Amino acid sequence: MSAEQQLAQLRSEIDACDSELVRLLAKRNQITEQVGKVKQRYGAPLHAPDREAKLIAERRAQAQQQGVNPDLVEDILRRMMREAYQNQQSELACVCPELSPVVIVGGRGAMGQLFAKQLTRSGIEVRILDKEEQQQDKAEEVIRGAKCVIISVPINAVEKVVKALPALDDDALLVDITSVKEKPLAALTQKHSGPVLGLHPMFGPDISHWVKQTVVVCPGRESKAGDALQAQLKVWGCQLVEMSARKHDEAMQIIQVMRHLTTFVYGQFLARQEHSLQEIRDCSSPIYQLELMMVGRLFAQSPELYSDIMLAQFDRVEPLLEEYQNTYEQTLSMLRDRDKDALISAFSDAKRFFSDASDQFLRQSRALLNKANDAKVLD
């Protein structure tokens, strides 16, 4: 048998294995859809972290015994799980019927639509109060009888929009989902004497499902209604992180504002270079491809939104910017002086901050890099 014939036979066997994998994936999808229906019927959370951890550990051990790379098996499992969570989104359990109807102020915006769709999937009545209803003087009609009002408007409009709201029922829950918390919560508590809650979804409107998505919870006036909404978020699979509004805003100065600002500046820098984007991409390593994706992602979205995010906390973040600039200038000085010892010392200081997490980040980033390289399109 020639080499070509041997390869043809082996490739035929590979094709048969691949076909069997597709058949098994289809069967698994059917089963996970049934799981979703059972969870919807009994109000069970979409995400079961203990079950997930046990499943992955057992399959990794099984892979090891059969001479298969456990990392490969885990990658496949996690991808299948993500698909399963997405397939289970059509109908969701409702554990907070007492919050219906919900009014979403700014409900025609991207985040407002995301919340409206998720609440509707859970069987909760959703009403929209946006510019159209305001212009038609329908605000009071829309708000009347609402048990929960969610503010989903640009940061710089929150205080004005909240102040203009018609009076809410005393037991109605007033919530905002903006990325700044102190001022919006102050506006909410001043407007409404009933329950108030601050939420910051740490994701954008383009997510395929809510499982494992982080939502920061900032207490306003605690109540059963606020607890009920948080319970609903958990059923959707969200990870809730509670902190004060002040702590939240301080954290966002680093996590959001500084990150967006440095990405914004770097994007402008690239745009002013003589090299085209294609030229830069053609000679990029996988790690730089990922960095370039994150920069490009920013500029694929709303300039108004990101301008608002950076401007909303600029007064507070200005000292951080000065510190960042000083660090940059100190590093530049080390380079000009060719002071290798100083550079190594600075590197070591930063490494101590990351501690043991640096090894974890290295492993996680390696997996991302492999996926980025796999997805590379060759002409």
Side-chain angles (χ1 to χ4, degrees), residues 264-284:
F264 180 52
V265 170
Y266 189 60
Q268 293 178 81
F269 168 79
L270 288 178
R272 294 171 185 172
Q273 304 310 301
E274 61 180 19
H275 300 288
S276 68
L277 177 60
Q278 189 59 50
E279 288 172 336
I280 294 173
R281 294 181 68 182
D282 285 344
C283 56
S284 293

Side-chain angles (χ1 to χ4, degrees), residues 35 49 105 124 144 152 199 223 265 328:
V35 168
V105 182
I124 296 170
R144 189 177 300 122
S152 177
L199 299 177
S223 65
V265 170
Y328 203 98

Side-chain angles (χ1 to χ4, degrees), residues 12-288:
S12 177
E13 292 177 17
I14 289 173
D15 290 345
C17 288
D18 291 345
S19 295
E20 182 65 11
L21 282 173
V22 172
R23 187 189 68 79
L24 288 172
L25 286 172
K27 182 178 180 180
R28 193 181 195 280
N29 276 349
Q30 292 171 359
I31 296 171
T32 56
E33 285 180 7
Q34 294 175 34
V35 168
K37 291 177 180 178
V38 173
K39 288 180 176 180
Q40 190 271 339
R41 191 179 306 131
Y42 294 101
L46 282 182
H47 185 219
D50 292 342
R51 156 72 179 165
E52 179 180 299
K54 182 173 182 291
L55 185 152
I56 289 174
E58 290 177 349
R59 295 294 84 78
R60 283 185 67 93
Q62 184 180 357
Q64 190 81 45
Q65 291 170 359
Q66 298 189 26
V68 178
N69 186 342
D71 292 339
L72 170 63
V73 171
E74 182 171 344
D75 282 349
I76 294 170
L77 283 171
R78 290 196 180 280
R79 181 63 184 87
M80 290 192 300
M81 289 174 183
R82 187 162 74 248
E83 190 74 16
Y85 293 139
Q86 189 170 342
N87 290 341
Q88 294 171 0
Q89 293 295 304
S90 59
E91 292 183 14
L92 299 166
C94 177
V95 295
C96 62
E98 66 271 29
L99 296 185
S100 186
V102 172
V103 171
I104 301 181
V105 182
R108 291 192 178 84
M111 284 300 289
Q113 290 183 54
L114 181 70
F115 269 79
K117 182 181 292 186
Q118 196 74 350
L119 289 162
T120 301
R121 285 168 170 170
S122 298
I124 296 170
E125 179 189 346
V126 175
R127 303 174 188 170
I128 302 300
L129 176 56
D130 216 314
K131 293 178 182 178
E132 183 178 326
E133 288 75 21
Q134 293 280 12
Q135 291 170 353
Q136 297 175 8
D137 294 326
K138 291 185 176 180
E140 289 191 15
E141 178 183 339
V142 174
I143 289 286
R144 189 177 300 122
K147 296 304 178 185
C148 178
V149 177
I150 298 175
I151 309 298
S152 177
V153 298
I155 300 167
N156 59 4
V158 171
E159 294 176 64
K160 180 180 178 181
V161 167
V162 169
K163 189 175 182 180
L165 282 176
L168 278 60
D169 290 351
D170 292 341
D171 61 347
L173 174 64
L174 183 57
V175 183
D176 89 283
I177 58 171
T178 56
S179 60
V180 177
K181 282 282 137 315
E182 272 199 290
K183 287 186 177 179
L185 272 177
L188 266 59
T189 51
Q190 183 175 0
K191 172 68 181 182
H192 183 48
S193 60
V196 168
L197 184 66
L199 299 177
H200 182 189
M202 299 301 297
F203 49 86
D206 58 345
I207 58 170
S208 57
H209 61 76
W210 293 55
V211 175
K212 299 184 183 179
Q213 300 291 349
T214 298
V215 179
V216 180
V217 178
C218 297
R221 289 196 192 96
E222 296 186 9
S223 65
K224 290 182 179 180
D227 293 342
L229 181 57
Q230 292 180 62
Q232 185 63 56
L233 290 167
K234 289 178 181 178
V235 163
W236 292 341
C238 294
Q239 176 191 15
L240 304 187
V241 178
E242 184 173 322
M243 62 177 61
S244 69
R246 177 174 290 277
K247 277 288 185 184
H248 167 276
D249 288 358
E250 289 172 351
M252 288 307 110
Q253 290 163 21
I254 296 173
I255 296 169
Q256 272 200 336
V257 182
M258 288 295 296
R259 181 176 65 82
H260 292 325
L261 189 141
T262 51
T263 303
F264 180 52
V265 170
Y266 189 60
Q268 293 178 81
F269 168 79
L270 288 178
R272 294 171 185 172
Q273 304 310 301
E274 61 180 19
H275 300 288
S276 68
L277 177 60
Q278 189 59 50
E279 288 172 336
I280 294 173
R281 294 181 68 182
D282 285 344
C283 56
S284 293
S285 64
I287 187 69
Y288 189 69

Side-chain angles (χ1 to χ4, degrees), residues 312-357:
Q313 295 209 64
F314 176 73
D315 291 341
R316 288 185 172 184
V317 86
E318 192 170 6
L320 289 177
L321 291 173
E322 291 176 358
E323 186 177 347
Y324 186 87
Q325 185 176 359
N326 290 338
T327 305
Y328 203 98
E329 289 175 352
Q330 289 166 10
T331 305
L332 187 58
S333 178
M334 294 176 203
L335 291 168
R336 283 174 177 154
D337 295 342
R338 299 188 176 279
D339 192 342
K340 186 175 179 179
D341 289 340
L343 288 167
I344 291 174
S345 177
F347 188 97
S348 299
D349 289 342
K351 186 173 182 177
R352 278 192 291 274
F353 168 78
F354 286 97
S355 186
D356 295 339

